Amino acid sequence: MDSARSDARSAGAPPIVALKILIAGGFGVGKTTMVGAVSEIQPLRTEEHLTEASLGVDYTDGVEQKTTTTVAMDFGKITLHEQFALYLFGTPGQDRFWFFWDDIAQGALGAVVLADTRRLQDCFAAVDYFERREIPFIVAVNCFEGARRFRVEQVSAALDLDPGTPVVLCDARERSSAKEVLIAVVEHASRTYAGRRSEDH
């Protein structure tokens, strides 16, 4: 009986809207960690161990404890408010894997650029990528322990962000914090696309 009522509710419920969100940023900034923290399914990961071949290619300054790297993408899923299913695609952080980006970015609603204030320059390339392709994005500062804290206005100025591009603080390890970041990027993307539609009319 209960299952019948559940089926009836499911049958009458509006369909879940699937939205694609990219999680980008520099090497070792916490992209894989964020996807894993918030995903309601077992995340797909394509991590490989760092080897001597990566010396001089993968710069681990500030993340010396990192022993693996994403070589394709991370993938996860989270349902928000029983209305939206967000499909999360974590991009590789190193320049040599950028040929993946155009394929991964196809159909994306928006993006999160994770930033580490100790190595803020590492996210410049991701910011430029999304600005050039007019993909709405927010910057999420992953607050690492021991790192100097800056105001969001200071981070925005340092990255020379366009006015209106949100900057938020987060802990990529915490599910609730990561979820707030995703809500922020969906809201920002919705406002951005609504504004573009109104300009076209």
Side-chain angles (χ1 to χ4, degrees):
M1 198 64 143
D2 289 340
S3 64
R5 281 198 295 268
S6 177
D7 291 343
R9 285 195 300 269
S10 298
I16 293 177
V17 177
L19 305 173
K20 183 177 183 179
I21 301 294
L22 306 182
I23 312 294
F27 175 67
V29 77
K31 301 180 295 294
T32 298
T33 299
M34 174 171 277
V35 173
V38 78
S39 180
E40 63 195 27
I41 63 172
Q42 181 67 33
L44 169 67
R45 292 173 175 161
T46 58
E47 287 195 306
E48 295 293 340
H49 286 282
L50 294 172
T51 66
E52 291 184 3
S54 68
L55 293 176
V57 179
D58 295 325
Y59 296 98
T60 58
D61 295 346
V63 287
E64 290 83 0
Q65 75 283 2
K66 187 169 176 60
T67 60
T68 60
T69 183
T70 298
V71 296
M73 67 176 185
D74 300 308
F75 174 78
K77 174 190 173 187
I78 180 174
T79 303
L80 296 179
H81 308 304
E82 299 182 351
Q83 296 175 336
F84 303 106
L86 302 187
Y87 290 91
L88 312 176
F89 291 77
T91 65
Q94 304 93 313
D95 292 352
R96 69 182 186 279
F97 295 125
W98 271 54
F99 63 90
F100 282 118
W101 277 53
D102 286 339
D103 289 335
I104 295 175
Q106 287 290 330
L109 174 79
V112 175
V113 176
L114 269 180
D116 179 351
T117 56
R118 299 169 300 180
R119 298 177 295 124
L120 200 57
Q121 70 279 1
D122 289 359
C123 68
F124 287 168
V127 167
D128 289 343
Y129 181 91
F130 296 126
E131 285 182 343
R132 287 198 308 270
R133 287 159 180 78
E134 299 186 334
I135 297 174
F137 69 95
I138 71 170
V139 173
V141 178
N142 194 6
C143 298
F144 288 89
E145 293 179 10
R148 183 180 172 188
R149 301 299 174 92
F150 294 89
R151 298 192 309 275
V152 294
E153 295 86 358
Q154 292 175 298
V155 175
S156 180
L159 292 175
D160 192 25
L161 298 177
D162 291 337
T165 301
V167 177
V168 299
L169 306 179
C170 74
D171 184 338
R173 303 168 300 179
E174 297 292 334
R175 176 179 171 82
S176 60
S177 183
K179 186 175 179 180
E180 289 300 319
V181 170
L182 296 175
I183 292 172
V185 71
V186 170
E187 291 177 343
H188 174 60
S190 298
R191 290 192 299 269
T192 299
Y193 290 120
R196 291 175 185 174
R197 285 194 297 270
S198 65
E199 289 175 0
D200 291 340
H201 293 337

